[in-house]
Amino acid sequence: MHDEWEGPKTCARAAVRCRATGLTVEQIEKATDEACMRERIRSKVCESDEDARAIGIAVAEHTEWRRIGYVMGEEGLEVYDPERDPTAVRWAREEQAARLERARGEEAERERRAQARQDRAGELRLDFPLDAETSRRLRAYAAAQGVTPQPPGRPARRARPHHQ
């Protein structure tokens, strides 16, 4: 399940990695303790969705500090370097691929909208309220011209020829 705060938590973890870059094991331990304290403080007050979001971010930050400490021990790092963190490297590749996919989707949407604008370029569209008599006369005039007026929000279409 993808929760609505996954993006902010991902950003929080990335921010922790940035802050951790170049820190020693002792500095990472201190930052982990501080993150644990912030998580505890946040978890004592949860009265709104914003509080719940803040708790989720605090948990994500604390978890990331702990993970970085573990990676430093496993990789034998004296200072943290995200390029020597296999998980951070994988996440960076995944985030870059996701950004490229979003950019492709946005470009496709821009092209679709441009094509829709171009398709509508030759249409005459006027939206305004009419009284019943004026509306009846306008419909009769439009029918004589071979078009059908439409309510707002619906595209105009060519009227079908009347066979006699």
Side-chain angles (χ1 to χ4, degrees), residues 82 87 119 128 154 156:
T87 302
D119 292 346
F128 49 89
R154 292 184 18 203

Side-chain angles (χ1 to χ4, degrees), residues 138-149 159 162:
L138 180 59
R139 287 182 186 282
Y141 178 75
Q145 301 301 315
V147 296
T148 303
H162 296 286

Side-chain angles (χ1 to χ4, degrees), residues 75-95:
E75 298 293 322
L77 303 176
E78 292 182 24
V79 295
Y80 180 69
D81 179 1
E83 293 185 14
R84 294 192 55 202
D85 178 344
T87 302
V89 169
R90 179 175 49 86
W91 285 343
R93 278 194 311 262
E94 289 170 359
E95 289 167 10

Side-chain angles (χ1 to χ4, degrees), residues 6-61:
E6 194 59 39
K9 289 192 290 189
T10 298
C11 289
R13 288 189 296 265
V16 167
R17 288 191 299 278
C18 286
R19 289 194 308 266
T21 300
L23 297 184
T24 64
V25 172
E26 294 79 20
Q27 291 169 317
I28 297 292
E29 288 172 356
K30 182 179 180 200
T32 302
D33 292 341
E34 290 169 358
C36 179
M37 181 87 63
R38 281 191 302 277
E39 180 182 344
R40 284 186 192 146
I41 291 168
R42 287 285 187 187
S43 66
K44 291 183 182 194
V45 178
C46 187
E47 298 174 357
S48 69
D49 285 345
E50 189 58 35
D51 290 338
R53 178 182 182 276
I55 291 169
I57 289 172
V59 169
E61 289 175 343

